[in-house]
Amino acid sequence: MSIGTTCVQAGYTPGNGEPRQIPIVQSTTFKYATGAEMAKLFDLESNGYFYTRLQNPTNDMVAAKIAALEGGTAGMLTSSGQAANFYAVFNIASCGDHVVSSSSIYGGTYNLFAVTMKRMGVDFTFVSPDCTEDELEAAFRPNTKAVFGETIANPALTVLDIEKFARAAHAHGVPLIVDNTFATPVNCRPFEWGADIVTHSTTKYMDGHGVGVGGALVDSGHFDWMKYPERFPGLCTPDESYHGVTYTERFGLAGAFITKATAQLMRDFGSIQSPQNAFYLNLGLESLHVRMARHCENGAKVAAFLKADPRVAWVQYPSLEGDKYYALAQKYMPNGSCGVVSFGVKGGREAAERFMGRLKIAAIETHVADARTCTLHPASTTHRQMSDQELAAAGVSPDLVRYSCGLEDAEDLIADIDQALN
């Protein structure tokens, strides 16, 4: 199926007389006739549901749709994008291990990696997304377990050279994890360029309406964990907390990663997405292909206006001709990148904050990628925990305004920007 048909149809096929829309299974528990039947579930010997903290039918149907959109073999929903990124990394890296990450990533993810996971004993080396292959090579260590990056970084809008990072990761026998939140599978499918695991904050474009926080991770099924059993013991050796099951042996390359994340991490951390939010998410997914085209159209028009305006210091938008990342965006996202534009107002941080306060359509929100246009000053909000040096590495200047184009008419957005600049 094409990507548009997959958005509408994948994940759930009702039987005769069954609900046409994905049903909300709003239940914490599931009944069985005998304890022996339930015991098989706990031993991972049969499929089924016993407690929503691990799995829920509504969630699994929506996760299956996202996996189909990305071209993966298995997926799971989480309570947030932060949880998805944590699960993706912690599923294969633990205390004493190391991960290479692009420095140009969302501030919350940077804090998760550089502070919280560091306290858990996982060390991260951050490299510029523009690094040379030699600089990227130098970041690896004998205990490196993964490489991480964002397709389009939030809010710097740098574009990850997926093939370059995938080559380096695979040369060292580790997977590439890509957060594909801003591009979505409508505009980029990282698996087709060598990525192995994809994550999403479904709160953004996938939901699209600001009604439900959530996350997702998808496995490509391509990475051969069994080729490096000593590097990935959690997947390739018996899990004593599940009666000695070896995930790669029982579930193969197509299912080992997601099954372990579900059976082990979701069991212990419980960052499940609510079935109600999963239902809202599916409604958003059904129109994702239509909405992304409008977001990108608006983003391109707004970026072109800003670039030509003498009151604006600089503009970053990867689909704008002349942008530093235009060539990479054309390679990985020829049909459009996203609806987010980053720019600086002449006059620096104070001018940026005054400008934002004058906007009438765009709301100042800790949100992005919504049907309604919103804006934010990252250095004061989402990235305020970072030092000036860390901000520079992440591509976030003090005057950066993140402007997320919604689905309104572009002419109205431009008129609003114009009066606010005045």
Side-chain angles (χ1 to χ4, degrees):
M1 295 188 293
S2 67
I3 199 78
T5 305
T6 303
C7 283
V8 178
Q9 294 285 349
Y12 171 63
T13 303
N16 193 38
E18 292 182 346
R20 184 62 191 91
Q21 180 55 278
I22 285 179
I24 305 170
V25 182
Q26 195 65 49
S27 180
T28 61
T29 49
F30 301 83
K31 175 185 176 295
Y32 287 88
T34 67
E37 290 179 84
M38 186 170 283
K40 290 181 180 179
L41 299 175
F42 277 88
D43 286 347
L44 303 180
E45 291 178 355
S46 64
N47 294 323
Y49 301 91
F50 53 86
Y51 199 52
T52 286
R53 192 182 78 231
L54 279 88
Q55 284 180 288
N56 176 280
T58 306
N59 292 21
D60 281 359
M61 287 183 279
V62 180
K65 175 176 283 190
I66 295 173
L69 286 168
E70 287 288 4
T73 56
M76 68 182 294
L77 298 187
T78 59
S79 58
S80 68
Q82 284 287 86
N85 284 335
F86 172 69
Y87 278 25
V89 174
F90 201 66
N91 204 34
I92 51 178
S94 56
C95 184
D97 288 334
H98 172 255
V99 176
V100 175
S101 173
S102 168
S103 62
S104 188
I105 55 176
Y106 169 59
T109 307
Y110 179 88
N111 195 63
L112 169 68
F113 291 168
V115 179
T116 303
M117 292 193 73
K118 186 175 182 179
R119 291 173 56 201
M120 301 172 75
V122 182
D123 198 15
F124 287 78
T125 295
F126 295 93
V127 298
S128 168
D130 306 327
C131 66
T132 65
E133 296 200 11
D134 287 342
E135 289 169 336
L136 183 54
E137 174 72 22
F140 285 85
R141 303 176 187 172
N143 60 336
T144 300
K145 295 297 179 72
V147 178
F148 181 91
E150 295 180 5
T151 313
I152 306 173
N154 175 15
L157 302 185
T158 56
V159 176
L160 189 74
D161 189 341
I162 301 172
E163 285 191 317
K164 178 178 76 174
F165 277 75
R167 277 196 306 271
H170 297 159
H172 289 268
V174 300
L176 172 62
I177 303 169
V178 174
D179 184 329
N180 198 32
T181 296
F182 267 20
T184 82
V186 170
N187 287 338
C188 181
R189 305 215 309 174
F191 293 155
E192 296 174 356
W193 300 100
D196 302 289
I197 309 294
V198 160
T199 63
H200 286 276
S201 169
T202 63
T203 318
K204 310 304 189 300
Y205 285 123
M206 283 188 164
D207 172 289
H209 302 88
V211 295
V213 175
L217 59 156
V218 179
D219 182 13
S220 68
H222 295 156
F223 191 82
D224 190 354
W225 311 102
M226 293 179 284
K227 189 176 179 181
Y228 313 97
E230 72 291 339
R231 189 171 295 148
F232 304 105
L235 287 160
C236 301
T237 59
D239 179 1
E240 297 307 322
S241 71
Y242 259 109
H243 312 288
V245 64
T246 299
Y247 295 102
T248 48
E249 290 180 0
R250 179 76 63 85
F251 303 101
L253 298 184
F257 183 86
I258 293 296
T259 303
K260 179 180 180 294
T262 302
Q264 197 180 81
L265 300 187
M266 194 63 82
R267 174 197 65 192
D268 294 342
F269 292 105
S271 304
I272 194 74
Q273 188 170 144
S274 75
Q276 186 75 47
N277 278 8
F279 177 82
Y280 293 145
L281 169 57
N282 186 64
L283 292 180
L285 288 170
E286 289 179 349
S287 64
L288 180 63
H289 59 300
V290 180
R291 290 185 292 104
M292 284 307 295
R294 180 58 174 259
H295 284 298
C296 292
E297 177 188 342
N298 284 355
K301 289 180 179 179
V302 166
F305 169 80
L306 290 168
K307 185 178 181 180
D309 197 298
R311 298 164 294 183
V312 175
W314 57 270
V315 180
Q316 186 129 349
Y317 184 67
S319 295
L320 183 65
E321 194 166 356
D323 187 89
K324 179 180 179 180
Y325 295 96
Y326 180 76
L328 279 177
Q330 290 301 297
K331 174 181 177 178
Y332 294 119
M333 297 162 279
N335 297 321
S337 52
C338 65
V340 182
V341 182
S342 291
F343 63 98
V345 179
K346 285 184 178 178
R349 180 190 288 242
E350 291 184 6
E353 292 177 345
R354 287 200 308 272
F355 160 77
M356 288 169 56
R358 298 285 185 174
L359 290 167
K360 296 178 180 178
I361 294 178
I364 299 175
E365 301 176 18
T366 309
H367 192 40
V368 70
D370 196 319
R372 292 160 295 274
T373 296
C374 53
T375 188
L376 196 70
H377 185 246
S380 300
T381 54
T382 56
H383 290 64
R384 69 177 297 120
Q385 77 278 4
M386 298 170 71
S387 67
D388 287 346
Q389 184 178 0
E390 290 168 340
L391 284 170
V396 180
S397 58
D399 64 340
L400 187 152
V401 173
R402 185 183 72 184
Y403 188 90
S404 176
C405 299
L407 302 179
E408 304 92 346
D409 286 342
E411 292 72 18
D412 293 336
L413 299 182
I414 290 170
D416 187 32
I417 291 170
D418 184 51
Q419 66 81 24
L421 286 171
N422 282 335

